């Protein structure tokens, strides 16, 4: 079969790598580089990124890692240990230690919540915020988690997604970092497509998708088109209208910091429930020193964008950083705000569009994630569904 793919983000390249072994694949990318929001951006010897925080949500065991193994990608993912810690009252705690921080009544309520979540015995129509709001600390911790992982507040996160995320967490565990960062994944996928005689055309902006007897990308004829651009942008350039609901994008701000002192001792996430805006940070150089010049650490913060005043949001993030780094030397490398056509997610969790439009048109990427799929794990879940459908 001839398969045309619009966009060479992680979604387009992973689809291409999985399908190019048995099909003729052509990928069209409008930018001069591959990987979209999941690749490195070198700056003063630091491997910053176009989007992601160099983290794979379920590390070496999740859906993305499984798909990478399936295509024979040579990517080494180091699982974080611990997954994360929580900075509360100036001290770091593991998740299980948080229960000791609240009084007896709240401890009973919090343990009850944790048990209900583990067993999936919750009202799936409520939001995560409503589920947690009885215990102040639980709500703060919940906000830090959803802000970091989904770029949403706990009140914006449907409980139905949290239940699926919890299942995936129990199945696969927490995050990991690919050695070489995001670009290591993108380079391997590119190599595999090219080895399978697939074609990748850069600096080509697709203007139309037409689904008829055949499937067309501009004047190129295919049997199937896979779109890795957002569902809304796909519909804009497509002759068929398929969106019954509009996905709601999630916005966020990332600040990249250079420090010789270092701030975090582990390779996981430091969640910051008490910050005004920053939801969490990581220090990826604890796992892969090559992501910064010798003697330096790279720390990246993430915050969901709470208001439309981006400058104010950034200023509040910078104030948080000043407090977090008190007494330590650091330098701000880069401040990036993600919204509009370069958001954190084209569809925030719970608003994703189905991958299968019809037998000739498929959607992949972070506007069409699988349920309970955090970021690239959700993208991989959606792609595995598409590939199974095409191969069936
Ligand atoms: P994209 O990467 O956007 O790829 C789409 C591609 O299509 C782009 O290259 C674009 O140029 C191209 N394109 C668009 N229109 C056209 C056209 N008309 N013709 C041809 N090409 C076109 N995820 C994680 O798993 N871990 C993290 O640590 C993490 N952290 C994040 C932090 C931030 C600040 C952000 C912004 C995102 C983060 N994410 C993270 C999310 C993750 O980066 C994205 O979900 C993922 O990279 C999206 O991949 P995609 O393939 O869906 O889309």
């Amino acid at each position: 079969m001839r398969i045309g793919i619009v966009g060479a983000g992680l979604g387009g390249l992973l689809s291409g790598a999985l399908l190019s072994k048995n099909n003729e694949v052509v990928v069209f990318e409008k930018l001069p580089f591959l990987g979209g929001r999941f690749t490195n951006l070198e700056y003063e010897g630091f491997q910053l990124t176009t989007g992601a925080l160099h983290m794979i949500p379920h590390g070496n065991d999740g859906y993305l890692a499984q798909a990478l193994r399936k295509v024979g990608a040579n990517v080494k993912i180091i699982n974080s240990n611990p997954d994360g810690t929580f900075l509360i009252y100036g001290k770091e705690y593991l998740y299980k230690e948080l229960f000791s921080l609240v009084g007896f009544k709240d401890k009973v309520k919090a343990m009850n919540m944790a048990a209900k979540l583990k067993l999936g015995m919750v009202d799936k129509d409520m939001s995560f915020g409503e589920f947690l709001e009885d215990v102040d600390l639980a709500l703060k911790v919940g906000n830090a988690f959803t802000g970091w992982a989904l770029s949403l507040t706990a009140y914006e996160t449907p409980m139905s997604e949290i239940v699926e995320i919890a299942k995936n967490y129990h199945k696969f565990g927490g995050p990991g970092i690919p050695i070489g960062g995001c670009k290591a994944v993108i380079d391997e996928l590119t190599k595999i497509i090219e080895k399978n005689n697939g074609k990748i055309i850069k600096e080509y902006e697709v203007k139309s998708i037409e689904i008829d007897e055949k499937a067309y990308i501009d004047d190129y004829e295919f049997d199937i088109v896979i779109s890795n651009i957002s569902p809304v942008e796909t519909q804009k350039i497509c002759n068929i209208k398929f969106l019954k609901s509009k996905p709601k994008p999630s916005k966020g701000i990332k600040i990249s910091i250079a420090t010789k002192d270092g701030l975090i001792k582990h390779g996981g996430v430091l969640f910051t429930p008490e910050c005004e805006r920053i939801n969490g940070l990581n220090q990826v150089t604890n796992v892969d020193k090559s992501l910064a010049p010798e003697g330096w650490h790279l720390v990246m913060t993430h915050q969901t964008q709470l208001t439309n005043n981006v400058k104010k949001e950034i200023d509040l993030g910078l104030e948080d950083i000043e407090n977090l780094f008190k007494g330590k030397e650091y330098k701000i490398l880069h401040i990036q705000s993600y919204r509009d056509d370069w958001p954190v997610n084209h569809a925030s969790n719970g608003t994703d569009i189905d991958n299968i439009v019809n037998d000739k048109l498929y959607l992949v990427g972070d506007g069409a994630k699988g349920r309970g799929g955090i970021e690239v794990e959700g993208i991989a879940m959606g792609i595995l569904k598409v590939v199974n459908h095409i191969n069936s």
Side-chain angles (χ1 to χ4, degrees), residues 6-12 28-31 35-38 51-57 204-206 228-229 237 254 302 338 342-346 364-366 374-376 379:
V6 185
L10 178 78
F28 300 87
E29 168 55 53
K30 76 171 173 185
L31 296 176
R37 286 167 285 150
F38 200 79
L53 297 140
H54 287 312
M55 271 195 153
I56 297 182
Y204 183 107
E205 181 172 352
V206 171
N228 176 216
I229 65 178
I237 62 170
K254 179 180 71 187
H302 184 70
Y338 294 89
W342 206 259
V344 178
N345 276 302
H346 279 303
V364 297
D366 66 4
I374 301 179
E375 318 263 24
V376 295
I379 295 177

Side-chain angles (χ1 to χ4, degrees), residues 58-354:
H58 297 299
N60 199 29
D61 306 292
Y63 292 103
L64 178 62
Q66 287 175 31
L68 290 173
R69 279 196 282 277
K70 198 166 174 175
V71 293
N74 181 18
V75 179
K76 191 169 179 193
I77 302 167
I78 307 291
N79 284 347
S80 307
N81 186 17
D83 303 340
T85 50
F86 297 82
L87 189 65
I88 291 167
Y89 315 132
K91 264 186 78 181
E92 245 177 282
Y93 295 89
L94 292 168
Y95 170 70
K96 59 180 183 210
E97 292 170 337
L98 294 177
F99 294 93
S100 67
L101 296 177
V102 292
F104 179 72
K105 265 192 185 162
D106 279 354
K107 194 180 293 178
V108 173
K109 281 187 202 162
M111 289 179 121
N112 199 11
M113 281 176 196
K116 277 185 175 167
L117 189 54
K118 197 163 181 184
L119 299 170
M121 287 166 53
V122 297
D123 174 359
K124 292 186 186 157
D125 290 330
M126 67 176 7
S127 72
F128 192 33
E130 287 168 303
F131 177 73
L132 297 172
E133 66 190 3
D134 262 5
V135 179
D136 196 41
L137 182 66
L139 183 57
K140 276 188 183 172
V141 167
N143 266 319
F145 170 74
T146 56
W148 170 270
L150 312 176
S151 233
L152 294 174
T153 66
Y155 282 108
E156 288 171 323
T157 308
M159 207 52 211
S160 51
E161 276 294 302
I162 290 291
V163 168
E164 296 303 315
I165 287 172
K167 274 189 209 160
N168 285 332
Y169 178 75
H170 287 119
K171 220 192 288 179
F172 304 122
I177 293 174
I179 297 296
C182 301
K183 188 167 184 290
V185 175
I186 296 303
D187 285 350
E188 272 298 300
L189 295 174
T190 305
K191 230 195 286 172
I192 289 161
I193 294 174
E194 286 171 347
K195 195 181 92 203
N196 291 338
N197 296 319
K199 253 199 221 148
I200 301 176
I201 308 175
K202 283 194 240 178
E203 296 185 70
Y204 183 107
E205 181 172 352
V206 171
K207 298 275 195 247
S208 83
I209 297 172
E210 207 171 317
I211 305 299
D212 208 331
E213 295 290 296
K214 287 278 181 179
Y216 297 89
I217 290 177
D218 296 337
D219 291 335
Y220 293 85
E221 186 183 294
F222 296 98
D223 298 299
I224 283 173
V225 168
I226 297 177
S227 178
N228 176 216
I229 65 178
S230 81
V232 171
E233 287 306 311
T234 305
Q235 177 160 286
K236 267 190 206 159
I237 62 170
C238 186
N239 65 325
I240 51 173
K241 303 296 161 228
F242 52 84
L243 283 180
K244 291 183 192 79
S245 59
K246 246 193 166 179
K248 182 179 168 286
S250 58
K251 307 175 201 174
I253 293 163
K254 179 180 71 187
I255 304 180
S256 301
I257 302 160
T259 167
K260 282 193 169 168
D261 293 345
L263 186 73
I264 308 173
K265 291 196 180 65
H266 54 77
V269 184
L270 175 63
F271 292 99
T272 52
E274 291 194 312
C275 277
E276 186 65 35
R277 283 299 190 271
I278 304 274
N279 301 120
L281 5 74
N282 64 10
Q283 185 167 303
V284 287
T285 36
N286 285 349
V287 172
D288 183 358
K289 285 190 171 36
S290 77
L291 297 172
E294 210 182 321
W296 288 90
H297 278 294
L298 171 60
V299 171
M300 289 185 284
T301 70
H302 184 70
Q303 63 191 87
T304 177
Q305 189 189 306
L306 293 185
T307 70
N308 285 330
N309 186 340
V310 178
K311 183 173 179 313
K312 177 182 148 204
E313 295 296 313
I314 290 173
D315 286 345
L316 289 170
L318 289 170
E319 271 177 36
D320 283 337
I321 290 170
E322 219 173 295
N323 290 328
L324 289 165
F325 277 83
K326 220 167 238 157
K328 291 184 191 284
E329 278 194 31
Y330 69 94
K331 181 169 87 170
I332 302 290
L333 291 170
H334 207 6
I335 301 173
Q336 292 159 295
S337 134
Y338 294 89
R339 56 188 197 276
D340 304 326
D341 61 347
W342 206 259
V344 178
N345 276 302
H346 279 303
S348 59
N349 282 60
T351 72
D352 285 277
I353 304 301
D354 189 30

